[in-house]
Amino acid sequence: MSSRMHKFHLPFRAPVALTLLLATVILVAAQGSITYFYASFPIIVVSLLSEVFICQIVLSEKGMTYNRNKLEWSEISSLKRTRFLGLPYLKVQRRKGMGWWVPLYYVGKTSFEKTLTSYLPAELANELGHGN
């Protein structure tokens, strides 16, 4: 069995971090005070670090890793599509522990939803209306 892995991230992380950085530079230049930079520095750092450490999903043949939390496919009892504030989510009910709400608008080199269903066991893929 090969060890395929696909990484997905939220589509707006980098633009948010760059916008915050640009706004800070403009404020510093306009006001002539470095205080604005120091005030917004933590927000910029958190935004840039989220690019690497949070807001990503990794799918593999074993399961998924969502924001550093791991879940094997065998631990999933049911899946249900839902919407919150108009955005599509997948409600993942686990056999033990709290359920997860996985955003279906993650982006990567391939379609998140198609890749997800290709990894899911047949019964879970059928539950979503997709066959393997």
Side-chain angles (χ1 to χ4, degrees):
M1 183 173 359
S2 67
S3 60
R4 301 179 302 153
M5 281 194 334
H6 291 87
K7 289 185 179 184
F8 297 89
H9 58 86
L10 289 174
F12 52 80
R13 293 178 309 154
V16 168
L18 293 174
T19 301
L20 286 170
L21 184 60
L22 181 62
T24 302
V25 169
I26 291 170
L27 276 172
V28 169
Q31 299 296 323
S33 172
I34 196 80
T35 306
Y36 291 105
F37 178 75
Y38 292 132
S40 60
F41 185 74
I43 297 170
I44 295 168
V45 168
V46 168
S47 298
L48 292 173
L49 289 177
S50 73
E51 189 74 27
V52 177
F53 295 110
I54 59 173
C55 299
Q56 72 175 353
I57 294 180
V58 179
L59 301 177
S60 71
E61 292 173 349
K62 292 181 179 182
M64 78 169 92
T65 303
Y66 179 43
N67 294 339
R68 303 286 186 208
N69 297 307
K70 296 182 185 214
L71 178 65
E72 291 185 14
W73 300 125
S74 61
E75 296 176 36
I76 299 174
S77 62
S78 68
L79 298 171
K80 181 182 177 185
R81 286 175 211 247
T82 189
R83 288 191 170 270
F84 182 72
L85 298 175
L87 295 171
Y89 285 85
L90 183 64
K91 188 175 180 185
V92 178
Q93 189 60 48
R94 300 168 54 197
R95 295 190 194 287
K96 292 182 180 178
M98 293 178 56
W100 291 4
W101 284 60
V102 179
L104 290 175
Y105 47 88
Y106 272 72
V107 295
K109 292 182 181 178
T110 59
S111 163
F112 176 71
E113 196 168 351
K114 286 182 183 179
T115 306
L116 175 66
T117 55
S118 74
Y119 281 118
L120 287 173
E123 64 274 4
L124 291 173
N126 291 334
E127 197 173 309
L128 283 178
H130 297 284
N132 277 351

